[in-house]
Amino acid sequence: MRSDSEHPFDGTRTAEAVEKDFYDTIDDTIRETGLAFPTWDRATEDGVMLTTCAVGSKMGNRFSITLDGGAIQDPKAAVEKIQAYWESKNWTIETIFDHTDAPNPGMQIAAKSPTGIEVVYNPIKNNTNPEKTTEWSMLRAQSDCTLDPSLDGVPTPKTEQ
């Protein structure tokens, strides 16, 4: 865990910096997966939740979202690709679960960015319901906690910056 001003993990990053980092992380991760996540639109706050968090005894806020995406042909290859990408950005890989022996083979990888964003990616192959093209793979992201009082409780629409 870092403690420099760029990656403080102590709630001192501005709400704006945390939010931009959160949105950029989602965009980058989706791009690397190669999957469609139809409900994700950076320009809106649809699906983005703001939840309370704590840094020591102080209360703050963090952003989170869970997105459903399409099926993937090779979950192992998908996890290997995202793992290599995250490691190239100095992320810490926290867990990898292999469920490729299930009726709908899948895997799950969880990691934390150097700025404290936690991401879980769960690529799944759709073997049992081929007419259903979405809601198979999942991406969940949660930002670090910010104590910035300017965060008013509602994520604001963002455009690519």
Side-chain angles (χ1 to χ4, degrees), residues 9-53:
F9 289 98
D10 61 2
T12 59
R13 289 201 320 152
T14 66
E16 183 179 347
V18 170
E19 188 172 27
K20 182 179 182 322
D21 191 15
F22 173 76
Y23 278 75
D24 288 349
T25 296
I26 294 166
D27 284 342
D28 292 348
T29 302
I30 288 173
R31 184 184 62 252
E32 287 300 314
T33 69
L35 288 176
F37 288 86
T39 60
W40 174 245
D41 181 354
R42 184 184 179 115
T44 73
E45 72 277 2
D46 290 351
V48 176
M49 304 289 292
L50 193 63
T51 57
T52 58
C53 54

Side-chain angles (χ1 to χ4, degrees), residues 48-109:
V48 176
M49 304 289 292
L50 193 63
T51 57
T52 58
C53 54
V55 176
S57 62
K58 297 177 182 174
M59 296 304 292
N61 292 287
R62 72 177 61 198
F63 300 94
S64 66
I65 194 166
T66 299
L67 299 167
D68 292 323
I72 193 140
Q73 282 302 110
D74 187 346
K76 280 189 181 189
V79 164
E80 288 170 0
K81 179 182 177 187
I82 204 73
Q83 180 179 0
Y85 173 70
W86 285 343
E87 287 175 341
S88 76
K89 297 178 72 63
N90 295 316
W91 287 37
T92 301
I93 304 302
E94 309 229 322
T95 58
I96 298 176
F97 295 108
D98 187 333
H99 303 289
T100 53
D101 59 350
N104 279 319
M107 292 194 62
Q108 179 175 299
I109 183 170

